[in-house]
Amino acid sequence: MFQTAASLCVPQTFHSPSIFGLQTVSIQASVVSSNVTVDIPPGGIVGQAATNVTNLSFCNVSVATTHPGWGDLINTEVWLPLRGWNERIQMTGGGGLATGLMAPNFAMIGAVKDDYVAVGTDGGHDSDDPGSWGLASPGNVNLYKLLDYSTPALHEAIVIGKAITNDFYGRHASFSYFVGCSTGGRQGLMYAQDFPQDFDGIIAAAPGINYNRAILQLFYPLIRLKDYGTIPAPCELTALTAAAVEECDPKDNVTDGIISAPELCTFDPFSLVGHRINCSGVESEISYAAAFAANETWSVTVENSTTLWLGLGHQADLSGLVNTTCDNSGHCVGVPFSPLTQWLTYFVEKDPAYDWNQFTVQDMSAFLNGPDNKLYDGFLATNSLNLAPFAQAGGKMITYHGLADQYIPTNVSRIYYDNLLELDPDAAHYYRYYQVPGVGHCSGGAGPVPIDTIDKLVNWVEHGVAPDVLEGQSSPNAQGLVYNRPICVYPGRAVYKGQGDVTQAGNWECK
């Protein structure tokens, strides 16, 4: 464990990293030692448990860089523990349309707390709203900044992080790790596919594979509902999800509020049309529009050999992609997930004044088969199955994906992994995939969330112990129960042994 004098935390300690085509604008360094105390909630750190951080101190190095001629300014931060460095680097990913350095920065705080050097980058974007950076002018995408978001700024950040680490401690890190979910998951896969030497281990949870296609396809359920013409109240959709869980939860022979055998779930939302429900104290009923919305969200849709939608699980919160709101008169409208409207506005229509209500399924299909999408595919799809260089470099990667993900269909990860296994039947030697029942996007939901993923990855990379299971733990449910359960490597699933407390992991086994 290394200790370093705080007096070294000055700009003069650090050198401009030599990266062809990249120019260093400035290097700033300062000690953060103001007794940083943070309660990191469940899901605040990808694949880890909630934790409390106290008395954190580190050297914060901020490196500003630019690609001459691109008109960009990228900020990369490197947080260096002043004492107890474990000789490892951990880079953290972004989310939505943010490349990284998201506030509050639980991921980097957690990494330093665990004695890692933490690295993050904003990709040249001071906002996750592309209204400030997406267009060079109306009708013209700022492709340089979109490139920064997708690839080069990310690779450069870890090169910078490694160089700054060497300057500070006088030696290179022994191992480097990347941790991300959603956009961060896509970033993790990008590193494995395009820069296989950058990291020894990668966690790429719920990744946005085929990103430029997938983010537009997430519009599909709400567009179908809009075109249907009647928008249901949120409580109707909530009632349908609850009914689906009630019917499908016991199909794994345990009633615990978690759909663990989704392939056995055949719940029909139309069977509840007209069913009376309570909507915020007002008696109402489930409409055909609500059943239509749920069915469109749960069903896979293929038209003219083009997959328009891969479908969410029955336990997914429908308010994620079919969010609706109603006024006092009972008139309801759809409210899209904000990254979707941002992508549609700036990177599809390229018009800040565009109204998403104009967008149709036909428009979606035309874009998916059009020239702009082919252009974006080149640097955003992140769907290459060639992981051989990553494997040859000794890299190891873990992906987990919640079966109740309300934004990215679990099928996205499953199809990618199935295709990889078809190409390379030995892929599990370097890449493992886990489906997590009852868990939402990255975290949340009724199911047990992975809480030991980084530890399992480190053990795999550094000691050769491949993880057959991850440790899962849920948040307390309405009855105060916390479910502890093994999360089994795909295609396995945790099965109750038939006796003992169902909340205890030891009473479950992978089959």
Side-chain angles (χ1 to χ4, degrees), residues 22 76 124 153 175 240 258 285 314 321 399 424 461 486 492 498:
L22 189 71
T76 297
F175 298 96
L240 284 171
I258 302 169
E285 64 180 36
H314 285 77
L321 296 182
T399 286
D424 179 6
V461 167

Side-chain angles (χ1 to χ4, degrees), residues 133-344:
W133 58 268
L135 298 179
S137 62
N140 298 295
V141 172
N142 192 327
L143 286 172
Y144 287 136
K145 291 197 173 183
L146 191 57
L147 275 168
D148 279 338
Y149 169 76
S150 70
T151 306
L154 291 159
H155 167 64
E156 291 154 3
I158 188 57
V159 174
I160 291 168
K162 290 177 178 179
I164 293 297
T165 299
N166 185 52
D167 285 343
F168 193 61
Y169 298 110
R171 64 174 296 164
H172 295 291
S174 299
F175 298 96
S176 58
Y177 296 90
F178 177 86
V179 179
C181 184
S182 191
T183 285
R186 185 208 69 83
Q187 293 168 341
L189 279 172
M190 180 279 297
Y191 280 116
Q193 294 168 15
D194 297 338
F195 300 100
Q197 303 284 345
D198 278 358
F199 292 98
D200 301 292
I202 294 171
I203 296 172
I209 306 170
N210 294 308
Y211 185 90
N212 50 303
R213 296 171 179 269
I215 194 168
L216 198 60
Q217 290 169 323
L218 298 184
F219 249 122
Y220 181 80
L222 191 58
I223 292 174
R224 289 284 289 146
L225 180 59
K226 170 181 66 70
D227 291 346
Y228 173 75
T230 303
I231 307 298
C235 59
E236 298 177 57
L237 299 171
T238 300
L240 284 171
T241 300
V245 173
E246 183 178 9
E247 178 176 310
C248 298
D249 167 19
K251 292 187 180 293
D252 67 337
N253 298 317
V254 175
T255 301
D256 52 9
I258 302 169
I259 297 178
S260 295
E263 71 280 3
L264 301 180
C265 185
T266 57
F267 174 73
D268 177 11
F270 294 103
S271 67
L272 287 187
V273 172
H275 181 77
R276 305 297 293 179
I277 59 173
N278 185 298
C279 279
S280 301
V282 177
E283 189 173 351
S284 183
E285 64 180 36
I286 294 176
S287 65
Y288 186 93
F292 176 83
N295 190 63
E296 291 297 309
T297 306
W298 295 334
S299 302
V300 176
T301 303
V302 179
E303 291 185 6
N304 300 322
S305 300
T306 298
T307 300
L308 295 180
W309 178 235
L310 284 172
L312 297 183
H314 285 77
Q315 195 161 5
D317 183 352
L318 291 173
S319 69
L321 296 182
V322 195
N323 187 32
T324 70
T325 185
C326 308
D327 60 23
N328 292 334
S329 70
H331 175 69
C332 304
V333 295
V335 183
F337 182 41
S338 58
L340 308 190
T341 51
Q342 292 166 351
W343 185 264
L344 175 62

Side-chain angles (χ1 to χ4, degrees), residues 4-10 28-38 53-62 77-83 105 108-109 112-113 168:
T4 304
S7 60
L8 291 177
C9 188
V10 292
Q28 299 177 345
S30 60
V31 173
V32 177
S33 59
S34 56
N35 295 326
V36 176
T37 299
V38 179
V53 179
T54 58
N55 300 321
L56 195 67
S57 62
F58 55 91
C59 175
N60 181 1
V61 180
S62 181
E77 291 192 11
V78 186
W79 295 4
L80 302 138
L82 296 176
R83 55 185 177 273
N105 207 327
M108 290 182 69
I109 291 172
V112 174
K113 177 242 181 192
F168 193 61

Side-chain angles (χ1 to χ4, degrees), residues 192-193 196 384-395 420 423-424 430:
Q193 294 168 15
S384 171
L385 296 173
N386 182 17
L387 297 182
F390 179 70
Q392 291 162 5
L420 178 64
L423 180 69
D424 179 6
Y430 57 87

Side-chain angles (χ1 to χ4, degrees), residues 118-130:
V119 179
T121 181
D122 66 5
H125 311 136
D126 58 3
S127 170
D128 62 356
D129 181 356

